[in-house]
Amino acid sequence: MTQVTDHGGGVHSIKVPIPDNPLGHTLVHVLDTDRGPVLIDTGWDDPEAWDTLTDGLDAVGVGIGDIHGVVITHHHPDHHGLSGQVREASGAWIAMHAADTAIVRRTRKSEPGTWLKYLVTKLTAVGAPEAHLAPLRAAAADGDRMRTLPGLRAAMPDREIVPGELLDLAGRKVRAIWTPGHTPGHVCLHLEEHHPADLPGRGRLFSGDHLLPGISPHIGLYEDPDDATVTDPLGDYLDSLERIGRLGVAEVLPAHQYAFADAAGRVRELLDHHEERLTGLLGLLATPLTPWELAERMEWNRPWEQIPNGSRNIAVSEAEAHLRRLVKLGRAEAVAGSEPVTYVAV
């Protein structure tokens, strides 16, 4: 049964399912404007998700053909996946931050297998065992299989979200806030309007995956096979969190879980969480470890032995992001001459 929530003030959310994912669903928000309804994110490219989205719109009194525009918080397939289908059905424009649009463009242009070949090289460098690498090599060689992976046919946005500027949404005041970390082009959207239930604070925040009530979003490396820039995603995320905490919003409307108040309190919890995690990693790095070995020893939501291979790739990327932060802070360093590279606390 479609689950639709009326948040008041011309804002609804629809729970759009994510297939075979513990997150369960993406909250697609519907924002009324004077030119027609606008979606904030769209959900995964999946028939059940599409049916749920259209049924939810019907429950709100909106036809899919009425959608005026689509604003994407970030490029991940559970947010951007259905954007192209929405545009085909309605003629809506699609807006995204330039950094994430570049990822969509690069993914669409890449030959099947390019990403997995890069991943094999990268995981070899961080100490992944051969048993983990062999299936990736086989998948990279299977071009037909690669053509079915999510993201390869993601819609190209036709508008750019410019940080700090108001979006062109007639009758609404929505300001884009660049919040890199989860992705390089993640944006939150500040609805700078009085809260319909008179909650104290400065409007509402569509937070995407940046600020969630009970989950710390994945912070991994910004992956670009053609760019050797040493980025600091965790540093970007922590800086972005502090910026969001200073907004003083009355309510947060995230893309997963549920709406909540006290954004500043949740920001403090997440800042404390990451500081505790960095401190814990320093203890693990009392002896040199590769990023893979560090990931094996980190605390996850289940034992390492129970984590599937695809999720292990994500875990190692998160371990690397934390290592980069420690190195930038001068709290850890790479061991000269080690291969695969190991890191140690200093």
Side-chain angles (χ1 to χ4, degrees), residues 102-344:
I103 295 173
V104 174
R105 182 181 297 109
R106 183 175 70 242
T107 302
R108 287 170 61 96
K109 288 182 177 179
S110 295
E111 289 296 319
T114 297
W115 167 250
L116 283 181
K117 291 173 185 175
Y118 163 74
L119 192 57
V120 168
T121 301
K122 175 180 172 297
L123 288 170
T124 300
V126 299
E130 179 57 31
H132 183 85
L133 298 172
L136 292 173
R137 290 197 185 96
D142 187 350
D144 290 337
R145 175 182 171 187
M146 283 298 297
R147 293 180 193 277
T148 66
L149 292 179
L152 295 182
R153 59 177 183 171
M156 276 300 300
D158 43 51
R159 290 192 181 185
E160 180 179 342
I161 297 175
V162 180
E165 293 190 2
L166 291 173
L167 276 63
D168 183 18
L169 302 178
R172 308 308 299 249
K173 190 176 182 182
V174 179
R175 192 175 304 278
I177 303 172
W178 185 33
T179 51
H182 185 56
T183 71
H186 192 292
V187 293
C188 292
L189 305 164
H190 187 192
L191 182 59
E192 297 177 343
E193 301 171 7
H194 184 75
H195 193 283
D198 294 325
L199 293 182
R202 298 180 56 239
R204 291 181 280 181
L205 184 77
F206 299 102
S207 65
D209 282 2
H210 183 71
L211 189 62
L212 304 171
I215 302 171
S216 177
H218 166 68
I219 308 297
L221 298 187
Y222 301 150
E223 303 286 9
D224 183 350
D226 300 320
D227 188 352
T229 303
V230 179
T231 57
D232 180 16
L234 181 55
D236 292 343
Y237 178 66
L238 298 177
D239 289 345
S240 300
L241 270 180
E242 292 184 345
R243 190 159 59 250
I244 289 299
R246 292 192 291 268
L247 285 178
V249 297
E251 187 178 28
V252 179
L253 303 175
H256 302 288
Q257 298 190 298
Y258 49 85
F260 64 100
D262 192 18
R266 181 59 181 148
V267 165
R268 286 193 299 273
E269 289 176 356
L270 287 166
L271 292 172
D272 290 344
H273 162 76
H274 282 285
E275 181 56 38
E276 290 172 5
R277 192 164 209 195
L278 288 170
T279 300
L281 296 189
L282 286 175
L284 294 175
L285 293 170
T287 56
L289 297 173
T290 66
W292 182 274
E293 290 169 336
L294 182 62
E296 288 180 316
R297 291 160 174 77
M298 290 170 66
E299 289 189 15
W300 305 104
N301 59 2
R302 56 190 137 169
W304 184 259
E305 295 74 19
Q306 298 177 16
I307 298 177
N309 279 7
S311 297
R312 289 185 181 188
N313 298 336
I314 296 171
V316 172
S317 181
E318 187 155 329
E320 288 183 275
H322 281 75
L323 279 170
R324 285 195 182 179
R325 187 65 187 155
L326 289 171
V327 170
K328 186 169 184 179
L329 293 171
R331 298 163 74 180
E333 64 182 12
V335 177
S338 57
E339 187 178 347
V341 62
T342 60
Y343 292 82
V344 67

Side-chain angles (χ1 to χ4, degrees), residues 65-88:
D66 300 326
I67 300 301
H68 172 61
V70 177
V71 181
I72 301 298
T73 61
H74 61 295
H75 74 86
H76 287 164
D78 55 323
H79 297 258
H80 183 43
L82 286 172
S83 299
Q85 199 166 341
V86 171
R87 181 162 61 189
E88 290 173 7

